[in-house]
């Protein structure tokens, strides 16, 4: 079989001799960036008090990294197109550690936001590069499980990372929470350096690769489906607490327990979605779109029942947990010769969907109220169904389509 890379950049790697430690280190990287991204959600009040700003201004510490991540995800692989991916990932985790140190020492909100902008660069870069490495580290029959494990760091960050950071912040102060994340990022950087094999880029990623990919119908529709699912989810989930507060007799402690159950179901959903997507990513996304839209909409009539609301919330976590790994498998199958570029687009679309969903949910929640938030979120998720149906099977005809990454071989232009 001919090489799929340019000669100066090395060849497509064969499976690593010790792949599972490498995959676990990548899961640690996704856990670190997502925990860092979402930590201010649990620290907004203390952040605002400590820096003498309003809660709304402190909330920029959550919004800014997502927007920077959406922009940096496609740009960083272009900027680092010839660098070994192990080196790039280690550098990003070191930068993440430095950003968390700067956050911990920030004397003013402007300094904190500068640090959070650096966090956004790390988020976009780690997602763009790490998301597609499961197929390089593992043989094909195990690549789906490896990708699911890499993405499990996202779900575990929501279940364990953010609550643990919030608890530390409440006990010792918000600065110590960021300091702890700095130590974690440094440890993960060391683990990546030790566990990952050399990972030369499969081929250089150029800016022209992205328009070529977007002109490929199966890629474009997969990204559209991802955008609708993520935007719909965050439209509803960002304001799930007011929704649950409508349930009779549901106190703050019970709501926290329900959200923990949602997070645990999300971890299980990541592996279930990875198992299904490894066999048929199109079917996985169809199941997720139908299930997510239906569950969110069913929460409207379930408002009077604790049992029904609990069941639906757990199913919501289970279904949504499979979105990231299923969409990544879809793009890997749709663009097997431009996996990193596809992962970069995916990371950009995903983070844009988070920001857009939170913004949309806020506007809807402020006017019509919680019921309208559920209608909007569920409706957006269901709109992903026709996009997936029309796209066809992502792997069909991939070998016959023009290479979006451009020409190959020693004379290919970088």
């Amino acid at each position: 079989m001919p090489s799929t890379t340019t000669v100066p950049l090395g060849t497509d790697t064969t499976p690593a001799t010790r792949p599972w430690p490498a995959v676990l280190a990548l899961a640690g990287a996704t856990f670190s960036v997502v925990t860092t991204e979402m930590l201010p959600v649990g620290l907004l009040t203390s952040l605002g008090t400590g820096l003498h700003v309003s809660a709304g201004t402190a909330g920029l510490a959550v919004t800014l990294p997502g927007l920077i991540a959406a922009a940096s995800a496609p740009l960083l692989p272009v900027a680092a197109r010839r660098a070994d991916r192990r080196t790039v990932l280690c550098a990003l985790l070191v930068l993440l550690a430095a950003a968390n140190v700067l956050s911990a020492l920030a004397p003013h909100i402007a300094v904190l936001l500068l640090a959070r902008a650096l966090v956004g660069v790390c988020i976009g870069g780690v997602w763009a590069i790490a998301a597609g490495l499961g197929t390089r580290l593992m043989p094909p029959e195990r690549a789906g499980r490896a990708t699911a494990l890499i993405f499990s760091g996202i779900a575990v960050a929501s279940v364990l990372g953010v609550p643990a950071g919030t608890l530390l912040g409440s006990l010792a102060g918000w600065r110590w929470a960021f300091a702890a994340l700095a130590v974690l990022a440094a440890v993960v950087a060391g683990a990546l350096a030790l566990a990952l094999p050399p990972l030369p880029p499969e081929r250089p990623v150029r800016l022209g690769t992205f328009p070529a990919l977007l002109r490929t119908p199966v890629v474009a529709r997969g990204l559209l489906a991802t955008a609708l699912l993520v935007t719909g989810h965050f439209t509803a989930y960002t304001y799930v607490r007011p929704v649950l507060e409508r349930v009779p007799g549901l106190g703050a402690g019970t709501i926290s327990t329900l959200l923990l159950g949602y997070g645990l179901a999300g971890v299980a959903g990541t592996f279930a979605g990875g198992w299904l997507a490894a066999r048929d990513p199109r079917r996985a996304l169809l199941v997720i779109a139908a299930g997510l839209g239906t569950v969110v909409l069913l929460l409207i009539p379930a408002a009077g029942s604790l049992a029904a609301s609990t069941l639906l919330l757990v199913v919501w976590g289970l279904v949504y947990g499979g979105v990231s790994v299923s969409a990544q498998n879809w793009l890997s199958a749709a663009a097997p010769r431009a996996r990193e570029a596809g992962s970069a687009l995916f990371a950009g679309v995903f983070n844009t969907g988070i920001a857009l969903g939170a913004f949309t949910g806020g506007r809807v929640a402020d006017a019509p109220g919680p019921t309208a938030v559920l209608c909007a979120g569920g409706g957006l998720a269901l709109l992903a169904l026709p996009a997936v149906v029309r796209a066809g099977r992502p792997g069909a005809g991939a070998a016959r389509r023009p290479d979006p990454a451009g020409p190959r071989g020693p004379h290919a232009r970088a």
Side-chain angles (χ1 to χ4, degrees), residues 43-410:
L43 301 175
L44 280 184
T45 301
S46 56
L47 272 176
T49 301
L51 295 175
H52 310 292
V53 296
S54 68
T57 301
L60 292 174
V62 180
T63 305
L64 184 61
L67 297 176
I68 298 293
S72 64
L75 294 178
L76 193 140
V78 175
R81 57 186 175 181
R82 293 186 179 277
D84 187 287
R85 273 27 193 166
R86 176 177 63 179
T87 302
V88 175
L89 285 171
C90 290
L92 287 169
L93 267 295
V94 171
L95 179 61
L96 184 68
N100 279 318
V101 170
L102 185 59
S103 297
L105 299 175
H108 189 272
I109 185 63
V111 178
L112 178 67
L113 292 180
L114 173 61
R116 298 297 291 172
L118 295 176
V119 169
V121 173
C122 299
I123 296 166
V126 169
W127 274 45
I129 293 172
L133 290 182
T135 56
R136 294 186 65 180
L137 295 170
M138 288 288 188
E141 66 274 11
R142 295 181 181 176
R145 278 181 287 171
T147 301
L149 184 55
I150 292 170
F151 277 102
S152 71
I154 299 172
V156 176
S158 299
V159 177
L160 296 178
V162 175
T166 302
L167 177 62
L168 178 59
S170 66
L171 294 176
W174 61 270
R175 295 182 185 276
W176 284 105
F178 283 112
L181 286 180
V183 173
L184 173 64
V187 170
V188 173
L192 290 169
L194 292 173
L196 287 178
L199 292 167
E202 294 180 289
R203 61 185 64 217
V205 178
R206 299 183 295 274
L207 285 176
T209 303
F210 300 117
L213 276 175
L214 291 173
R215 288 193 296 269
T216 306
V218 67
V219 173
R221 288 170 184 157
L223 290 172
L224 174 60
T226 301
L228 289 167
L229 287 170
V230 176
T231 304
H233 166 77
F234 279 95
T235 295
Y237 185 73
T238 304
Y239 300 91
V240 70
R241 183 173 288 271
V243 169
L244 294 176
E245 287 171 350
R246 303 177 308 161
V247 179
L250 202 60
T254 306
I255 290 176
S256 297
T257 302
L258 290 180
L259 293 178
L260 175 62
Y262 164 91
L264 293 172
V267 176
T270 299
F271 289 100
W275 177 83
L276 181 57
R279 289 154 177 78
D280 190 340
R282 180 172 182 263
R283 180 180 298 176
L285 279 180
L286 286 172
V287 169
I288 288 170
L292 183 61
T294 301
V295 164
V296 171
L297 291 175
L298 284 176
L299 278 168
I300 298 172
S305 169
L306 174 58
S309 296
T310 300
L311 175 62
L312 290 170
L313 191 66
V314 170
V315 175
W316 185 352
L318 184 67
V319 173
Y320 182 73
V323 170
S324 54
V325 65
S326 298
Q328 178 60 45
N329 273 279
W330 173 290
L331 291 170
S332 294
R337 292 172 292 181
R339 288 194 294 251
E340 190 169 271
S343 296
L345 283 175
F346 166 67
V349 167
F350 202 103
N351 281 282
T352 301
I354 293 173
L356 184 59
F359 176 81
T360 302
R363 303 291 74 74
V364 175
D366 285 345
T371 298
V373 165
L374 294 176
C375 287
L380 285 169
L382 289 177
L383 285 176
L385 280 170
V388 177
V389 169
R390 291 188 62 196
R393 295 192 177 277
R400 298 188 298 274
R401 288 194 291 270
D403 188 351
R408 295 175 292 170

